[in-house]
Amino acid sequence: MRASLIQIAVHDGESVVSRRSRVAELVREQSGSDLVVLPELWPVGAFAYELFETEAEPLDGPTREVMAQAARDAGVWLHAGSIVERAGDGSLYNTALVLSPEGELAATYRKIHRFGFDQGEAVLMAAGDSLTTVELPEQTLGLATCYDLRFPELFRGLVDNGATAFVVPAGWPARRRAHWTLLNRARAVEDQAYVLACCSAGTHAGVEQAGHSLVVDPWGEVLAEAGPGEEVLTVDLDPKKVPETREAFPALKDRMLGVRRGAPRSS
Ligand SMILES: O=C(O)CCC(=O)C(=O)O
């Protein structure tokens, strides 16, 4: 499976509408890939809290429409990063969308761990409460978003549900870039899974983004890493790598606590 991560630069000066069409074009350019991944909340910017209310959209809103067309045009699976979703009851969620090559909505994931402590996303948005995995032809994707990276139990739950590759869109601040790299590698090593971690670049709402998107293999090796600016990272994932790693070094079978007996742990 060939995966392309588009590390989008999110700057204040660009409108949501023009960023949407610019990003759709970038997605179309990845037509040789099987899977394309975008960052967290790239239409508005993860820290542009004042835009959350005004730019919130339903699941069938403008981002989904433009991205579904781009996925169809490119013939790719598209993890379209996340949007500010306005739910039927008016609440906001940080919701990731996965679209099929036919442009159908294959899965959604509402971010469970909201960032900001007593401000920002943590107070403006509601928390998701369910895990999402998506079966692709060669990998089962487990979905997580940004701050979720600090909660390893979420990733264990995804492994129990069959995940072989975690997709982590983010708007991680540059000042904690060391944590970003370390945590992505840790999740790959402890769960013996690929990690496809796609962060924003640029600066919006006064927060410089970390960039440095990366793809980590199930042994913890960094297969590719972006620099600080807008960039596309393309990597081939080996469908045998996860089962082989779990077979050769079967640490997941030695779990003693919180084990869901009988759940799939490898594929
Ligand atoms: O955990 C962090 O350091 C950053 C998390 C974050 O920026 C987010 O979830 O939006």
Side-chain angles (χ1 to χ4, degrees):
M1 170 189 282
R2 176 160 294 183
S4 291
L5 281 56
I6 308 181
Q7 177 171 289
I8 298 162
V10 180
H11 290 293
D12 298 316
E14 187 177 34
S15 74
V16 172
V17 171
S18 49
R19 191 176 302 121
R20 257 192 218 114
S21 50
R22 187 170 69 80
V23 170
E25 202 43 49
L26 288 169
V27 171
R28 284 189 191 96
E29 286 170 15
Q30 313 312 316
S31 64
S33 290
D34 302 297
L35 170 67
V36 175
V37 181
L38 306 179
E40 178 189 29
L41 296 179
W42 60 267
V44 287
F47 288 87
Y49 304 139
E50 73 289 353
L51 295 181
F52 285 8
E53 268 295 329
T54 52
E55 297 293 343
E57 49 185 309
L59 282 180
D60 59 357
T63 302
R64 151 122 174 249
E65 190 185 331
V66 172
M67 290 300 119
Q69 186 60 52
R72 265 194 300 274
D73 292 345
V76 297
W77 285 90
L78 176 61
H79 184 307
S82 66
I83 60 165
V84 181
E85 178 203 348
R86 184 176 302 284
D89 66 357
S91 325
L92 304 184
Y93 290 90
N94 183 339
T95 303
L97 310 176
V98 179
L99 299 155
S100 73
E102 292 75 37
E104 299 300 326
L105 186 64
T108 59
Y109 165 66
R110 286 173 166 170
K111 185 178 181 182
I112 292 175
H113 303 96
R114 294 157 300 160
F115 182 64
F117 308 110
D118 55 359
Q119 57 169 332
E121 179 185 48
V123 295
L124 297 172
M125 287 184 171
D129 60 4
S130 49
L131 302 184
T132 303
T133 53
V134 195
E135 292 267 352
L136 263 57
E138 291 185 353
Q139 302 285 342
T140 299
L141 308 183
L143 307 192
T145 302
C146 202
Y147 189 48
D148 282 334
L149 209 45
R150 296 187 183 271
F151 301 87
E153 63 276 19
L154 183 153
F155 292 77
R156 269 293 149 87
L158 293 170
V159 166
D160 284 338
N161 291 350
T164 56
F166 301 129
V167 183
V168 189
W172 199 275
R175 72 177 76 93
R176 290 186 296 279
R177 179 158 76 79
H179 293 187
W180 163 250
T181 310
L182 180 69
L183 291 168
N184 277 306
R185 292 190 69 186
R187 298 296 85 87
V189 172
E190 71 196 359
D191 293 310
Q192 303 184 306
Y194 281 108
V195 177
L196 282 65
C198 185
C199 191
S200 301
T203 298
H204 67 272
V207 181
E208 185 190 349
Q209 298 288 283
H212 287 267
S213 297
L214 66 164
V215 177
V216 191
D217 80 3
W219 194 245
E221 299 295 334
V222 176
L223 300 181
E225 181 173 352
E230 186 159 292
E231 185 174 335
V232 179
L233 216 53
T234 296
V235 170
D236 289 321
L237 308 185
D238 177 351
K240 298 188 298 303
K241 198 75 182 271
V242 169
E244 280 175 2
T245 304
R246 291 178 183 178
E247 181 74 27
F249 194 85
L252 287 173
K253 289 195 180 137
D254 281 340
R255 290 167 65 191
M256 300 292 283
L257 304 174
V259 184
R260 234 190 278 159
R261 301 282 171 204
R265 301 213 204 113
S266 63
S267 66

